[in-house]
Amino acid sequence: MSIGIERLAVYTPQYGLALADLAAARGVAPAKYTQGLGVQEMAVAPPWEDVVTMAATAGARVLRAAGVDPASIGMLLVATETAVDHAKPVSIFVHDLLGVGPHCRTYELKHACYAGTAALMTAADWVRAGGARPRRALVIATDIARYELGSSGEPTQGAGAVAMLVGREPQALILGDESGTYAGNVHDFWRPLGRREAIVDGQHSVDCYLIALAGAFQMYRALERPPFEPDEAFQDRVARMLYHTPFPKMAMKAHRRFAELDWRASHARWAQVEPRLEEAAAQSYVELAAPALTAVSRIGNTYTASLYVCLASLLEAESRMLTGRRVGLFSYGSGSCAEFFSGVVPTSAPRVSDTGIATQLRERTLVDVPTYERLARTGDAGGEPAAGFAGEFVFHGVRNDRREYGRVEPVAARASA
Ligand code: HMG
């Protein structure tokens, strides 16, 4: 029985900031951000949006595109590390806004950037456990990456949500059966209660990511069937590699580590590759990893959603060429837990490849640095949306310690009114 992602929809806020402008304002060489980190632009969330409204907009769009009745969703999982309450889950607000029925298992998941994958795997297992029963889950990863203004993490911010229908008719990605996992308690990135911005030990976080990648991939590689030929590498079996991408250079570093580990594990292949390792790794990166980085280089880090922004972007750009082919995926969440897995792009993928990313990026507005700083300082205040708002739900603010949300008409409906 095939289980996997039936369809995806992405939502990213209407505002973006060019990293060259941020660099100029911080007195940093623009190339450090645009080439050193590989980020061109980052999404900026206005105060009338939060993880609930972004998740609900992505969720509404995927349900509508797939023609799925919200009441038929039996499990709604929302992954975020930007929670809006210590007890009340983001998922129940989203459940209400989407009109999902009462007979639904719903909760919020947290494990830094890994939670989106935790939710996807939990949903897939739930569908699998249902046997022939018609189970369908809605998984949404939604986050706003925030660091202190002026800090070294600042150019690695971003915002967005990815909604995925998970079920037995996977038209976007058929999930493989095996996973390689790796967990370990590290202090690379965390956000103590009461703080809006994350604390990060930047260089350490890069090292922790790479250690977790090695651990998860080596476990996964050992499970791979059929066994490898003496000179065969795992890379030969995948058309693309997707990584959790806090910034594109991180995916490049990850791919470099992955490629070497993979080749070293095959003695005959390693003997061929070792004399020209850097050249081979660079070529492998361009072929396998770079194609999935188009959208993240313009949206920035979306934490739990980042890996799935890469998947959505890849499907929009290449689903026709990738049909019937396998892709590898690596998810990392600080703290830490990581998972390496794979999936096959089904022949139906071109029919569901419009995830909304390209359109939203084309239509969004780039703001200047003073506007970005004002929006960042205003933070989670709520309010009424400005002209050009692309979302479908709005965060009005907090009254009597309760968060209040509402629906706005979809842009298409507003335009035709
Ligand atoms: P930094 O320390 O200011 O930057 O911050 P740097 O000095 O390491 O420079 C960055 C790169 O730019 C380097 O390239 C420089 O050489 C290059 P590399 O050597 O690494 O290949 N560079 C230049 N290139 C061209 N022209 C120039 C120039 N100058 C320098 N003029 C850091 C970088 C990533 C540490 C910082 O942005 C940060 O702390 N970000 C947040 C943490 C993060 O994203 N960590 C990633 C791994 S952990 C993770 O992914 C989990 C996470 O998503 C959270 C979660 O799980 O929830 C963060």
Side-chain angles (χ1 to χ4, degrees), residues 262-349:
D262 186 32
W263 285 323
R264 275 182 186 274
S266 156
H267 296 297
R269 188 61 169 274
W270 179 241
Q272 294 163 14
V273 166
E274 193 184 8
R276 45 174 208 95
L277 178 60
E278 292 313 321
E279 186 198 332
Q283 192 183 331
S284 174
Y285 167 77
V286 168
E287 233 169 75
L288 298 184
L293 301 175
T294 314
V296 277
S297 75
R298 299 189 54 203
I299 292 176
N301 196 356
T302 51
Y303 290 158
T304 52
S306 162
L307 177 62
Y308 303 99
V309 169
C310 293
L311 176 62
S313 170
L314 190 70
L315 290 177
E316 280 204 356
E318 297 193 327
S319 60
R320 220 163 277 285
M321 198 269 281
L322 291 174
T323 57
R325 304 184 71 188
R326 188 177 177 202
V327 298
L329 299 97
F330 174 68
S331 175
Y332 175 74
S334 285
S336 66
C337 188
E339 188 151 345
F340 195 104
F341 58 107
S342 75
V344 171
V345 178
T347 48
S348 49

Side-chain angles (χ1 to χ4, degrees), residues 29 31-32 35-37 81 112-114 147 152-156 188-189 200-203 205-206 209 244 246-247 249-250 253 301 303 332-334:
K32 175 172 177 180
Q35 292 165 31
L37 297 175
E81 55 178 280
C113 301
Y114 171 66
Y147 298 93
S152 63
E154 187 182 30
T156 65
D188 60 335
F189 165 104
V200 63
D201 184 345
Q203 299 304 333
S205 74
V206 171
Y209 179 122
H244 164 59
F247 51 92
K249 178 64 94 50
M250 188 68 236
K253 289 177 193 284
N301 196 356
Y303 290 158
Y332 175 74
S334 285

Side-chain angles (χ1 to χ4, degrees), residues 58-338:
R61 288 180 182 173
V62 81
L63 289 166
R64 212 163 41 233
V68 167
D69 178 0
S72 70
I73 297 297
M75 176 179 261
L76 168 63
L77 303 182
V78 181
T80 189
E81 55 178 280
T82 320
V84 298
D85 191 283
H86 292 312
K88 194 173 167 85
V90 165
S91 55
I92 199 65
F93 291 109
V94 176
H95 177 275
D96 181 32
L97 293 172
L98 293 182
V100 174
H103 303 296
C104 177
R105 186 180 292 171
T106 184
Y107 52 94
E108 176 185 313
L109 291 85
K110 178 180 73 181
H111 186 137
C113 301
Y114 171 66
T117 299
L120 174 62
M121 295 303 168
T122 303
D125 286 346
W126 174 75
V127 172
R128 215 171 269 127
R133 273 176 283 179
R135 288 186 168 180
R136 180 174 277 133
L138 177 58
V139 167
I140 310 179
T142 178
D143 264 309
I144 302 174
R146 287 193 187 105
Y147 298 93
E148 299 275 2
L149 295 186
S151 70
S152 63
E154 187 182 30
T156 65
Q157 299 177 108
V162 180
M164 299 176 267
L165 285 169
V166 178
R168 291 194 291 123
E169 294 166 27
Q171 298 197 67
L173 190 74
I174 301 168
L175 288 172
D177 290 337
E178 301 292 355
S179 273
T181 46
Y182 186 87
N185 183 11
V186 289
H187 264 91
D188 60 335
F189 165 104
W190 65 106
R191 187 164 67 88
L193 296 176
R195 276 186 67 112
R196 252 180 93 237
E197 289 84 14
I199 299 177
V200 63
D201 184 345
Q203 299 304 333
H204 182 50
S205 74
V206 171
D207 294 341
C208 291
Y209 179 122
L210 295 175
I211 289 168
L213 166 66
F217 173 58
Q218 281 165 331
M219 176 180 165
Y220 184 84
R221 202 180 188 285
L223 296 168
E224 176 75 357
R225 294 293 175 273
F228 292 99
E229 298 296 325
D231 65 347
E232 193 188 15
F234 176 76
Q235 289 159 80
D236 305 335
R237 297 183 175 188
V238 289
R240 295 287 180 260
M241 279 297 307
L242 283 74
Y243 296 93
H244 164 59
T245 307
F247 51 92
K249 178 64 94 50
M250 188 68 236
M252 184 190 258
K253 289 177 193 284
H255 192 75
R256 171 68 183 75
R257 178 68 57 95
F258 153 81
E260 181 171 343
L261 285 168
D262 186 32
W263 285 323
R264 275 182 186 274
S266 156
H267 296 297
R269 188 61 169 274
W270 179 241
Q272 294 163 14
V273 166
E274 193 184 8
R276 45 174 208 95
L277 178 60
E278 292 313 321
E279 186 198 332
Q283 192 183 331
S284 174
Y285 167 77
V286 168
E287 233 169 75
L288 298 184
L293 301 175
T294 314
V296 277
S297 75
R298 299 189 54 203
I299 292 176
N301 196 356
T302 51
Y303 290 158
T304 52
S306 162
L307 177 62
Y308 303 99
V309 169
C310 293
L311 176 62
S313 170
L314 190 70
L315 290 177
E316 280 204 356
E318 297 193 327
S319 60
R320 220 163 277 285
M321 198 269 281
L322 291 174
T323 57
R325 304 184 71 188
R326 188 177 177 202
V327 298
L329 299 97
F330 174 68
S331 175
Y332 175 74
S334 285
S336 66
C337 188

Side-chain angles (χ1 to χ4, degrees), residues 47-70:
W48 53 88
E49 291 206 86
D50 68 3
V51 287
V52 171
T53 62
M54 294 195 304
T57 297
R61 288 180 182 173
V62 81
L63 289 166
R64 212 163 41 233
V68 167
D69 178 0

